[in-house]
Amino acid sequence: MIKFGGVSAGEACTIVLRGGTNQMLDEAERSIHDAVAVLSQTVVEPRIVYGGGCSEMLMSKAADEASKLVAGKKSIAMEAFARALRQMPTILADNAGLDSADLVAKLRAAHYDGKSTFGLDLVQGDIVDVAGKVTESFKLKRQVLLSASEAAEMILRVDDIIRCAPRQRRN
């Protein structure tokens, strides 16, 4: 990798990519584009959330606790949403080649023990206090949750339509 420095703030700069195949170059270009887009949005909306599965575990805990105050099918749906949120730290650990069951159980116990800033350290393979170390863009996290919720809602609507009794036809 070649790094060019000395560019003043606000000036344009060029990134030169080299790769073995066109597919590698295309993927590198997409990755850089995504990273620059997230950075530019973070400048516009500077709020951040803790990463490493911390924010998902916090939301999962809140949904679990709120589900205990609601009766009926809504409670079951809220519990399922909490389980779905816990899948993010599981996926992070799995992708890092770590024992996700053990790490997520430790992370969940830490959050229920009041350690609300703990998340996964995928380099060390343990849970740590991620405050100021691992962060994510608030705007990006918000959009990811909204998109996932909307997708789940559409699936539920389709299931409702399929389960409805067919109309009576006139012969």
Side-chain angles (χ1 to χ4, degrees):
M1 178 175 175
I2 301 171
K3 178 182 173 186
F4 298 98
V7 178
S8 301
E11 291 186 23
C13 63
T14 301
I15 299 173
V16 179
L17 298 174
R18 291 186 59 189
T21 65
N22 284 336
Q23 290 85 0
M24 286 178 65
L25 286 172
D26 290 343
E27 188 59 34
E29 184 180 357
R30 277 191 294 276
S31 296
I32 288 173
H33 179 270
D34 291 347
V36 170
V38 169
L39 286 173
S40 67
Q41 289 302 311
T42 303
V43 169
V44 173
E45 170 58 82
R47 290 185 289 177
I48 56 171
V49 295
Y50 296 139
C54 178
S55 56
E56 287 85 0
M57 196 57 72
L58 279 170
M59 291 183 281
S60 172
K61 180 182 174 192
D64 259 341
E65 290 172 355
S67 73
K68 295 174 185 168
L69 305 174
V70 178
K73 291 180 182 178
K74 286 184 179 181
S75 174
I76 295 168
M78 292 170 77
E79 289 170 1
F81 186 71
R83 278 193 310 276
L85 286 168
R86 283 194 297 274
Q87 285 302 304
M88 192 63 199
T90 303
I91 292 167
L92 286 172
D94 283 341
N95 287 345
L98 302 171
D99 182 2
S100 61
D102 182 49
L103 282 175
V104 173
K106 284 182 186 177
L107 183 59
R108 186 174 184 194
H111 275 260
Y112 277 89
D113 199 31
K115 299 175 182 173
S116 61
T117 59
F118 270 52
L120 300 177
D121 180 346
L122 300 176
V123 175
Q124 300 298 322
D126 203 3
I127 62 167
V128 295
D129 186 355
V130 294
K133 298 174 189 169
V134 182
T135 59
E136 297 179 66
S137 165
F138 168 79
K139 189 172 183 177
L140 178 67
K141 181 64 70 178
R142 182 175 177 267
Q143 189 58 48
V144 166
L145 282 168
L146 287 173
S147 297
S149 297
E150 288 171 2
E153 191 175 324
M154 284 193 304
I155 291 168
L156 291 173
R157 284 185 184 159
V158 169
D159 284 350
D160 275 347
I161 292 169
I162 291 171
R163 287 185 194 151
C164 289
R167 291 183 304 189
Q168 295 296 326
R169 295 184 184 198
R170 296 180 189 164
N171 291 333

